[in-house]
């Protein structure tokens, strides 16, 4: 999420910043900005320009190049993917302190920004954005006023800030210096002939140097022209972790992965962690303060309809089951393009939740409008802050998966699953429909999901090995029951769109009512057979398929030895509470579709006939 670049010692720092931002644009493109450190007759000063024209912000900044002071040697730049605050120019980075002499660019989320902002406001600071990032500039301002250096101020930040962050700082009073620090979010420093560099991604500076240093968690890098010093949080110099990079720039953008899709599959633990950050308290309570639909409004709801298309619809199916079983509200999930024309019966006691990664899918947008026209309360779950739908609905909840470049949704889908379930817990708590202890247990399990997914994406090659056997198939059934059914639908969709293989998803128990006559020796069936209420029933359905000669691939738990005995191949996943299986079990199916598509020579990032944002009906 978001991209950072900083340079010092350059004859033309603005050009380096803008070139770097272009390479970083895939990390966020709703706004961009730069600040240069300049020296003038009356001392140093900062020159800042920002633009917020979606996907066009960097060309806008180029237009400002003629007005940039010629004598600047250092600067910082940022391309943004909004999480806190709309993608406006005011919210674009770099952010300045009150004096305009300190600038910061920041990636990540400052969890305690509200608390910090309240203190700053009380001490008379004037904040000009809605971001969590701006507080950093004002905190640095206070430390500098108390006599600290920029590096000392950065170390003090490490004691104050909570959350995940990577940031670069400049001050008009230390014109050659870039200070970078981080916790969890990545940040690197680089050195070349007379140049010092800081960036969130290797790709942004790889064209300038291969002398790269990884800044560690809670370390502070002092970068000057041609030199890098790294200290720990106490100011002791530490050994530098040199980075060996064999990649070229294009591969570096994919962080060495073959394509964006495999990169994004691997980013799922982080996408989930960012999405959950600050939303589940230590006591298991849910915190969705940005929701904009207050407790009173939510308590008045007597029915929920979830709408979406494709993968978002599948996430909606899982979300609606959680809402029904935890918040005890009648809930349905509808395909948005159908919902719109169904004359839906909704009123001001119905909550319509529109799910859309892009926030722009026209079918979902019109479904949302139809719900609004009929007087429903509306909520959007999207990955794009202030997107078309977010602006239209009564409330918005944002997944924080960062930009998804691959056309097939992966990390946004799992982030949607988790966020909808957090919302379901939130509703259940408001309505008092779940014992607090049960809800706290589930919340704790949701909070553990990023770690579980880390394990699952670590099995990428194992899943890919299983998928090799399916490279030549032309027909696949995906079967599941209960929560396994939306997973089956998602697996089938992925195989269709990426591998161009006919794939049909069916509720496993429904096969005997017709489709089973299509099963002949060798037909491939992928069955979601993880442990849960319907496990035995699913195994019985697997027996029915095997009796007709089907070749079965089972998604099953690590500790299961029954399902593997019935299957020809297994895709194993760790056991999690049944309600949380979708976010875990969908991963091997993503890898399955990915691998079959690759084996067939397809472009997984840009499958034929598809677009990332579908703006036609
Ligand atoms: C499938 C996929 C699509 C999208 C659908 C809705 O991998 O990505 O099915 O889920 O086009 O898009 P959004 O979520 O942007 O509304």
């Amino acid at each position: 999420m978001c991209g950072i670049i900083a340079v010092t010692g350059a004859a033309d720092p603005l050009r380096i910043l803008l070139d770097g931002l272009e390479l970083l644009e895939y990390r966020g493109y709703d706004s961009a900005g730069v600040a240069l450190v300049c020296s003038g007759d009356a001392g140093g000063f900062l020159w800042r320009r920002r633009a917020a024209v979606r996907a066009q912000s960097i060309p806008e900044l180029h237009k400002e190049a003629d007005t940039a002071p010629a004598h600047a040697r250092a600067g910082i730049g940022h391309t943004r993917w909004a999480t806190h605050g709309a993608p406006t120019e005011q919210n674009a980075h770099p952010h300045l302190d009150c004096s305009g002499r300190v600038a910061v660019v920041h990636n990540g989320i400052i969890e305690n920004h509200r608390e910090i902002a309240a203190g700053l406001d009380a001490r008379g600071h004037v904040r000009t954005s809605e971001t969590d990032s701006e507080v950093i500039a004002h905190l640095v301002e206070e430390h500098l006023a108390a006599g600290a250096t920029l590096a000392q101020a950065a170390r003090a930040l490490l004691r104050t800030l909570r959350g995940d962050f990577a940031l670069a700082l400049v001050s008009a009073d230390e014109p050659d210096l870039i200070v970078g620090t981080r916790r969890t979010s990545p940040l690197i420093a680089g050195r070349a002939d007379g140049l010092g560099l800081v960036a969130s991604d290797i790709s942004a500076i790889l064209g300038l140097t291969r002398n790269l240093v990884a800044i560690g968690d809670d370390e502070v890098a002092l970068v000057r022209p041609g030199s890098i010093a790294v200290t720990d949080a106490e100011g002791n110099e530490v050994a530098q972790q040199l980075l060996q990079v064999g990649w070229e720039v294009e591969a570096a953008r994919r962080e060495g992965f073959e394509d964006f899709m495999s990169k994004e599959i691997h980013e799922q633990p982080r996408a989930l962690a960012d999405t959950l950050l600050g939303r589940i308290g230590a006591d298991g309570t849910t915190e969705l303060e940005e929701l904009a639909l207050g407790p009173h409004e939510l308590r008045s709801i007597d029915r929920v309809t979830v709408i979406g298309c494709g993968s978002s619809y599948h996430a909606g199916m899982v979300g609606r089951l959680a809402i029904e079983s935890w918040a005890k509200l009648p809930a349905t999930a509808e395909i948005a393009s159908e919902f719109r024309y169904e004359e839906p019966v909704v009123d001001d006691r119905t909550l319509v939740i529109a799910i859309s990664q892009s926030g722009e899918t026209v079918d979902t947008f019109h479904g949302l409008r139809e719900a609004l026209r009929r007087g429903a309360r509306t909520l959007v779950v999207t990955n794009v802050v202030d997107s078309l739908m977010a602006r239209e609905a009564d409330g918005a909840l944002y997944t924080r998966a960062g930009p998804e470049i691959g056309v097939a949704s992966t990390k946004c889908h799992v982030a949607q699953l988790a966020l909808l379930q957090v919302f379901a817990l939130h509703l259940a708590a408001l309505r008092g429909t779940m014992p607090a202890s049960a809800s706290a247990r589930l919340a704790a399990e949701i909070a553990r999901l990023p770690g579980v997914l880390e394990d699952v994406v670590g099995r990428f090659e194992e899943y890919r090995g299983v998928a090799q056997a399916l490279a030549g198939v032309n027909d696949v059934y995906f079967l599941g029951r209960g929560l396994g059914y939306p997973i089956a639908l998602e697996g089938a969709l992925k195989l269709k769109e990426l591998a161009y293989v006919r794939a049909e998803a069916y509720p496993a128990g429904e096969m005997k009512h017709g489709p089973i006559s299509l099963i002949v020796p060798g037909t491939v069936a992928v069955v979601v057979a993880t442990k849960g209420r319907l496990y035995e029933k699913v195994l019985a359905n697997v027996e029915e398929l095997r009796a007709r000669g089907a070749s079965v691939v089972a998604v099953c738990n690590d500790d299961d030895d029954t399902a593997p005995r019935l299957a020809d191949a297994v895709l194993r996943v760790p056991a999690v509470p049944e309600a949380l299986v979708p976010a875990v079990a969908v991963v091997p199916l993503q890898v399955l579709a990915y691998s079959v598509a690759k084996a067939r020579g397809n472009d997984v990032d840009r499958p034929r006939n598809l677009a990332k944002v579908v703006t036609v009906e």
Side-chain angles (χ1 to χ4, degrees), residues 468-541:
Q468 294 313 323
L470 302 186
V473 298
N474 288 319
D475 242 323
V476 181
Y477 288 85
F478 284 79
L479 307 171
R481 299 184 78 150
L483 284 159
Y485 178 48
I487 305 169
L489 281 166
E490 181 60 9
L493 174 62
K494 288 283 174 286
L495 193 68
K496 285 186 253 209
E497 68 174 331
L498 295 167
Y500 318 144
V501 169
R502 208 162 33 234
E504 188 167 359
Y506 234 76
E510 189 67 9
M511 285 295 281
K512 56 187 174 295
H513 298 289
I516 201 161
S517 59
L518 288 167
I519 304 290
V520 292
T523 308
V524 176
V526 179
V527 184
V528 182
T530 45
K531 295 271 177 71
R533 277 177 318 133
L534 298 171
Y535 170 72
E536 306 288 346
K537 307 248 178 240
V538 171
L539 291 194
N541 298 138

Side-chain angles (χ1 to χ4, degrees), residues 90-106:
Q90 257 190 341
N91 289 334
H93 300 218
H95 290 290
L96 303 182
D97 68 330
C98 298
S99 69
R101 299 185 64 73
V102 172
V104 62
V105 285
H106 161 232

Side-chain angles (χ1 to χ4, degrees), residues 309-312 356-358 361 407-409 493-494 497 614:
C309 299
S311 299
S312 292
S356 173
Q357 169 274 130
S358 61
T361 301
V407 161
S409 187
L493 174 62
K494 288 283 174 286
E497 68 174 331
V614 185

Side-chain angles (χ1 to χ4, degrees), residues 206-219:
L206 201 55
L208 297 167
T209 183
R210 284 182 180 257
N211 276 327
L212 300 170
V213 172
I215 303 172
D217 257 348
D218 280 33
E219 288 181 353

